[in-house]
Amino acid sequence: MELSLCMIVKNEEASLPQVLESVQPVVDEMVILDTGSSDRTIEIAQEYGARVYHFQWCNDFSAARNQALQYVQGKWVLVLDADEVLTPEIIPEIQQAIKNDRNLVINLIRQEVGATQSPYSLVSRLFRHHPDIYFSRPYHSIVDDSVAQLLQREPDWQVISLSTVGILHYGYQPGAIAALDKYTRAKNAMEGFLADHPNDPYLCSKLGALYVQIGQVGEGIKLLKRGLTDSQVDASVLFELHYHLGNAYTKQNQLQLAADHYQDAIKQPILPQLKLGAYNNLGNLLFRVGDFTTAKRAYQTTVKIDPTFAVGYNHLGMTLKALAQWEAAITAYQKAIQLNPDYADAYQNLGVVLLKLGRVPESLAAFESAIARHQASNPQEAQRLRQELQGMGLTNRLQ
């Protein structure tokens, strides 16, 4: 048996079919560890031919994942969560990579669907079923620690990364209450681990970023800077430390420090997709201080790295508008809308430029589209835009 899917789940009846269907063309078995479902999760897993086992949840993701590994029979292990799917494009590359006898871990690019900040990450979710590979850390459980130890003893193994997006993650939840609960659980788990591992760079990166996200910016900066003191820190972790320091200093309005850290992040020898957030945020800083030409280059880099990055095209359009490159700005906004037809801000920005050029009917059509989309997601902005157009005497011309 070559490849096994390995999952831990609880009450995932809505999303489980999607992930299981995505892996059917490539896996030889599905191993699912249930941690206490009360819905149809178990029945659905069994309908797809999965072997289901049970585990008493103990607030430790690594303990659960390691238990699930005990039931795997394949030579290789693919780990997914229920809110993820495997992309069809990655399957031939996986099938080829696992044939190489030297490969130990095959890192996959994961795309955060719906994210505007750092939409890509690199995850070690495909690895050889080796007795010395196991998960560690109660939250953000990873095999990387055990892999590093194994490579010290057996240096002939190799770790590779595939450049095609391999996993789509649909777990973005904008709801503040759900996010707060998630953040609280993550914070408690990581702070407990920090007590025994105070200088761990990976933990400093994850917990420091969480502190910044929940408003404890000073504490976040201290922890992120502590992570930088490790001379052996991996390039991907070094990128995250600098990236999150950039975010932290931006929140403190220390823009030069923020820009320096974004640039240090960009210098790291990692896959270009992983740098997307740093380029975008650097562009935002440059735009903010009026350096439109350099901001333009940063945004152009984002859409070169990822031609489907709608946010990058919208930001590029704003920069082109600031440089009075009107037609190019229109093209950029239209590209953003093509990629994301519900992009209210892009419609609104397009309307502004068209109005500037005297193309009033087209401008009003763009504003109408913006108002309709704002009404669904941000009614206050929809009302503000209506009032602004009314002040310009344009409201009576809207449909």
Side-chain angles (χ1 to χ4, degrees):
M1 187 174 293
E2 199 68 23
L3 179 59
S4 302
L5 173 70
C6 187
M7 297 178 65
I8 61 172
V9 299
K10 182 180 179 181
N11 291 336
E12 303 288 1
E13 64 177 12
S15 56
L16 192 58
Q18 188 178 16
V19 60
L20 297 184
E21 286 173 12
S22 76
V23 301
Q24 278 185 325
V26 68
V27 302
D28 300 299
E29 70 166 354
M30 302 176 184
V31 173
I32 292 182
L33 189 74
D34 187 83
T35 63
S37 293
S38 56
D39 62 2
R40 293 193 64 252
T41 293
I42 294 173
E43 292 90 332
I44 290 170
Q46 291 171 336
E47 287 169 6
Y48 279 86
R51 299 203 318 275
V52 180
Y53 301 90
H54 301 275
F55 182 79
Q56 184 68 41
W57 182 244
C58 60
N59 296 318
D60 187 329
F61 283 92
S62 287
R65 292 199 188 280
N66 288 331
Q67 183 63 37
L69 284 179
Q70 300 301 310
Y71 304 116
V72 166
Q73 297 178 4
K75 297 177 184 176
W76 285 86
V77 185
L78 172 66
V79 175
L80 293 176
D81 291 330
D83 57 1
E84 299 173 334
V85 298
L86 197 69
T87 65
E89 297 80 11
I90 201 66
I91 290 177
E93 295 186 42
I94 286 177
Q95 290 171 326
Q96 185 63 34
I98 63 178
K99 291 178 182 177
N100 189 318
D101 290 338
R102 290 187 59 207
N103 286 344
L104 182 68
V105 178
I106 301 164
N107 292 319
L108 302 177
I109 292 180
R110 183 175 75 173
Q111 180 177 358
E112 305 287 349
V113 178
T116 57
Q117 290 285 326
S118 294
Y120 297 99
S121 58
L122 194 67
V123 291
S124 47
R125 298 290 199 82
L126 179 60
F127 50 88
R128 193 174 289 275
H129 189 203
H130 190 290
D132 291 333
I133 295 182
Y134 56 88
F135 287 92
S136 60
R137 306 168 186 267
Y139 200 87
H140 290 301
S141 55
I142 53 174
V143 296
D144 302 54
D145 298 330
S146 63
V147 168
Q149 294 170 6
L150 177 56
L151 288 172
Q152 288 182 343
R153 299 191 302 271
E154 302 177 18
D156 289 340
W157 290 113
Q158 63 183 10
V159 175
I160 68 167
S161 300
L162 302 183
S163 59
T164 301
V165 173
I167 300 172
L168 301 179
H169 180 219
Y170 294 94
Y172 244 70
Q173 299 203 2
I177 295 176
L180 180 61
D181 178 59
K182 180 181 179 181
Y183 292 157
T184 301
R185 286 186 284 113
K187 180 173 174 286
N188 291 341
M190 286 191 281
E191 285 178 341
F193 193 76
L194 181 68
D196 296 323
H197 306 82
N199 298 307
D200 182 274
Y202 180 84
L203 181 60
C204 288
S205 169
K206 295 298 183 185
L207 184 54
L210 179 60
Y211 282 150
V212 173
Q213 198 167 8
I214 63 177
Q216 297 176 223
V217 180
E219 288 299 309
I221 289 174
K222 288 179 186 176
L223 206 52
L224 293 164
K225 290 174 73 173
R226 188 194 301 176
L228 289 176
T229 62
D230 189 324
S231 60
Q232 302 299 316
V233 62
D234 180 79
S236 61
V237 176
L238 197 55
F239 169 85
E240 288 200 10
L241 289 165
H242 282 298
Y243 173 77
H244 293 302
L245 277 166
N247 292 347
Y249 284 123
T250 299
K251 288 195 172 190
Q252 290 192 336
N253 208 34
Q254 299 189 58
L255 302 188
Q256 187 56 57
L257 274 174
D260 290 344
H261 281 290
Y262 286 136
Q263 288 166 338
D264 284 339
I266 287 166
K267 292 174 185 175
Q268 301 309 312
I270 59 175
L271 293 172
Q273 295 99 314
L274 306 180
K275 302 180 184 183
L276 197 62
Y279 275 114
N280 185 59
N281 288 3
L282 178 60
N284 294 345
L285 283 187
L286 295 165
F287 185 90
R288 185 170 164 182
V289 300
D291 186 354
F292 302 127
T293 300
T294 314
K296 174 184 171 182
R297 287 200 294 269
Y299 293 137
Q300 286 174 326
T301 302
T302 68
V303 297
K304 182 179 180 181
I305 291 172
D306 181 6
T308 70
F309 190 46
V311 171
Y313 282 106
N314 182 55
H315 288 168
L316 178 59
M318 293 170 61
T319 308
L320 293 165
K321 172 181 174 289
L323 293 167
Q325 298 177 20
W326 311 115
E327 294 299 332
I330 289 171
T331 300
Y333 291 138
Q334 289 173 334
K335 183 65 175 178
I337 291 166
Q338 177 190 342
L339 291 166
N340 179 5
D342 293 322
Y343 204 157
D345 287 345
Y347 280 109
Q348 187 169 332
N349 291 333
L350 176 61
V352 170
V353 175
L354 290 168
L355 188 62
K356 177 82 174 177
L357 296 178
R359 295 159 61 174
V360 179
E362 294 173 79
S363 171
L364 291 176
F367 284 132
E368 283 183 18
S369 295
I371 289 171
R373 284 155 180 81
H374 280 313
Q375 191 63 47
S377 60
N378 188 354
Q380 293 85 358
E381 180 61 19
Q383 181 61 24
R384 189 203 64 78
L385 182 54
R386 284 193 196 94
Q387 291 172 346
E388 188 173 315
L389 293 170
Q390 184 178 17
M392 292 188 291
L394 296 172
T395 307
N396 60 338
R397 301 179 66 172
L398 288 172
Q399 297 296 322

